[in-house]
Every structure is written in C-alpha cells, then in structure tokens.
Coordinates of all heavy atoms in Angstrom, one line a residue:
I1 N -7.6 24.1 -13.3 CA -8.6 24.9 -14.0 C -9.9 24.8 -13.4 O -10.7 25.7 -13.5 CB -8.7 24.1 -15.5 CG1 -9.5 25.2 -16.4 CG2 -9.3 22.8 -15.4 CD1 -9.6 24.7 -17.8
L2 N -10.2 23.8 -12.6 CA -11.5 23.7 -11.8 C -11.6 24.7 -10.7 O -12.6 25.5 -10.6 CB -11.7 22.3 -11.3 CG -11.7 21.1 -12.2 CD1 -11.9 19.8 -11.5 CD2 -12.7 21.3 -13.3
S3 N -10.6 24.8 -9.9 CA -10.5 25.8 -8.8 C -10.6 27.2 -9.4 O -11.1 28.2 -8.8 CB -9.3 25.6 -7.9 OG -8.1 25.7 -8.7
G4 N -9.9 27.4 -10.5 CA -9.9 28.7 -11.2 C -11.3 29.1 -11.6 O -11.7 30.3 -11.6
A5 N -12.1 28.2 -12.1 CA -13.4 28.5 -12.5 C -14.4 28.9 -11.4 O -15.2 29.7 -11.5 CB -14.1 27.3 -13.3
I6 N -14.1 28.2 -10.2 CA -14.9 28.5 -9.1 C -14.4 29.9 -8.5 O -15.2 30.7 -8.1 CB -14.7 27.4 -8.0 CG1 -15.4 26.2 -8.5 CG2 -15.3 27.8 -6.6 CD1 -15.1 25.0 -7.7
E7 N -13.1 30.1 -8.4 CA -12.6 31.4 -7.8 C -13.1 32.5 -8.6 O -13.3 33.6 -8.1 CB -11.1 31.3 -7.7 CG -10.7 30.4 -6.5 CD -9.2 30.0 -6.7 OE1 -8.5 30.7 -7.5 OE2 -8.7 29.1 -5.9
S8 N -13.2 32.4 -10.0 CA -13.5 33.5 -10.8 C -15.0 33.7 -10.8 O -15.4 34.7 -11.5 CB -12.9 33.3 -12.2 OG -13.6 32.2 -12.8
G9 N -15.7 32.9 -10.3 CA -17.2 33.0 -10.4 C -17.8 32.3 -11.7 O -19.0 32.5 -12.0
Q10 N -17.0 31.8 -12.5 CA -17.4 31.1 -13.8 C -18.3 30.0 -13.5 O -19.2 29.7 -14.3 CB -16.2 30.8 -14.6 CG -16.6 30.3 -16.0 CD -15.4 30.1 -16.9 OE1 -14.2 30.3 -16.4 NE2 -15.5 29.6 -18.1
F11 N -18.1 29.3 -12.4 CA -18.9 28.2 -12.0 C -19.3 28.5 -10.4 O -18.4 28.6 -9.6 CB -18.2 26.9 -12.1 CG -19.0 25.7 -11.6 CD1 -20.0 25.2 -12.3 CD2 -18.8 25.2 -10.3 CE1 -20.8 24.1 -11.9 CE2 -19.6 24.2 -9.8 CZ -20.6 23.6 -10.6
E12 N -20.7 28.5 -10.1 CA -21.1 28.8 -8.8 C -21.7 27.7 -8.1 O -22.1 27.8 -7.0 CB -22.0 30.0 -8.8 CG -21.4 31.3 -9.4 CD -22.3 32.5 -9.5 OE1 -23.5 32.2 -9.2 OE2 -21.9 33.6 -9.8
G13 N -22.0 26.6 -8.8 CA -22.7 25.5 -8.2 C -24.2 25.5 -8.1 O -24.9 24.8 -7.3
K14 N -24.7 26.4 -8.9 CA -26.2 26.6 -8.9 C -26.9 25.3 -9.5 O -26.1 24.6 -10.3 CB -26.7 27.7 -9.8 CG -26.3 29.0 -9.3 CD -26.6 30.1 -10.4 CE -26.1 31.6 -9.9 NZ -26.4 32.6 -10.9
E15 N -28.1 24.9 -9.1 CA -28.6 23.7 -9.5 C -28.7 23.6 -11.0 O -29.2 24.5 -11.7 CB -30.1 23.6 -9.0 CG -30.7 22.3 -9.3 CD -32.1 22.1 -8.7 OE1 -33.0 23.0 -9.0 OE2 -32.4 21.2 -8.0
G16 N -28.1 22.6 -11.5 CA -28.2 22.4 -12.9 C -27.0 22.9 -13.7 O -26.8 22.8 -14.9
E17 N -26.2 23.8 -13.1 CA -25.1 24.4 -13.7 C -24.0 23.5 -14.2 O -23.7 22.6 -13.3 CB -24.5 25.6 -12.9 CG -23.5 26.5 -13.4 CD -22.9 27.6 -12.5 OE1 -23.3 27.5 -11.3 OE2 -22.2 28.3 -12.9
R18 N -23.4 23.6 -15.3 CA -22.4 22.7 -15.6 C -21.1 23.5 -16.1 O -21.1 24.6 -16.7 CB -22.8 21.9 -16.9 CG -23.6 20.7 -16.5 CD -25.0 20.9 -16.5 NE -25.7 20.9 -17.8 CZ -26.9 21.2 -18.0 NH1 -27.7 21.6 -17.0 NH2 -27.5 21.1 -19.2
F19 N -20.0 23.0 -15.8 CA -18.6 23.4 -16.3 C -17.9 22.3 -16.7 O -17.5 21.3 -16.0 CB -17.9 24.1 -15.2 CG -16.5 24.7 -15.6 CD1 -16.4 25.9 -16.3 CD2 -15.3 24.0 -15.3 CE1 -15.2 26.4 -16.7 CE2 -14.1 24.5 -15.7 CZ -14.0 25.7 -16.4
T20 N -17.6 22.2 -18.1 CA -17.0 21.0 -18.7 C -15.5 21.4 -19.2 O -15.3 22.4 -19.7 CB -17.8 20.7 -19.9 OG1 -19.2 20.4 -19.6 CG2 -17.3 19.4 -20.6
V21 N -14.7 20.4 -18.9 CA -13.2 20.5 -19.3 C -12.9 19.3 -20.1 O -13.2 18.1 -19.7 CB -12.4 20.6 -18.0 CG1 -10.9 20.7 -18.4 CG2 -12.8 21.8 -17.2
T22 N -12.3 19.5 -21.2 CA -11.7 18.3 -22.0 C -10.3 18.1 -21.4 O -9.5 19.0 -21.2 CB -11.4 18.7 -23.4 OG1 -12.8 19.0 -24.0 CG2 -10.9 17.5 -24.2
T23 N -10.0 16.8 -20.9 CA -8.8 16.4 -20.2 C -7.6 16.3 -21.1 O -6.4 16.3 -20.6 CB -9.1 15.2 -19.5 OG1 -9.3 14.0 -20.4 CG2 -10.2 15.3 -18.5
L24 N -7.7 16.1 -22.4 CA -6.6 16.0 -23.3 C -5.6 14.9 -22.8 O -4.3 15.1 -22.9 CB -5.9 17.4 -23.4 CG -6.7 18.5 -23.9 CD1 -5.9 19.8 -24.0 CD2 -7.2 18.2 -25.3
G25 N -6.1 13.8 -22.3 CA -5.3 12.8 -21.9 C -4.6 12.9 -20.6 O -3.9 11.9 -20.1
L26 N -5.0 13.9 -19.8 CA -4.3 14.1 -18.5 C -5.1 13.2 -17.4 O -4.5 12.8 -16.5 CB -4.4 15.6 -18.0 CG -3.6 16.6 -18.8 CD1 -4.0 18.0 -18.4 CD2 -2.2 16.3 -18.6
L27 N -6.3 12.8 -17.8 CA -7.1 11.7 -17.0 C -7.6 10.7 -17.9 O -7.7 11.1 -19.2 CB -8.1 12.5 -16.2 CG -7.7 13.4 -15.1 CD1 -8.9 14.2 -14.6 CD2 -7.1 12.7 -14.0
K28 N -7.9 9.6 -17.4 CA -8.5 8.5 -18.3 C -10.0 9.0 -18.8 O -10.3 8.5 -19.8 CB -8.6 7.2 -17.5 CG -7.3 6.6 -17.3 CD -7.4 5.2 -16.8 CE -6.0 4.5 -16.6 NZ -6.1 3.1 -16.1

C-alpha cells in the first residue's frame, strides 16, 4: 500500500506531507 501511494502520486514526500496506514495487526 505504501509503494502504491507513491506510484499513484498520492504521496510525494513534500515537507510535512503525511500518509497514514492502519496496520490491522500486520505489524506491531
């Protein structure tokens, strides 16, 4: 989902930009 957000332009890495994902237990 992270690479998808970057590839689609949903997240560009601009200063202060945030992209948040709820892990649903897939990570601690």
Side-chain angles (χ1 to χ4, degrees):
I1 192 171
L2 301 180
S3 57
I6 292 171
E7 290 168 7
S8 67
Q10 191 174 355
F11 177 81
E12 299 178 355
K14 296 176 182 177
E15 185 178 59
E17 185 181 9
R18 275 92 82 188
F19 180 78
T20 304
V21 179
T22 301
T23 65
L24 300 175
L26 297 173
L27 293 169
K28 288 187 176 181

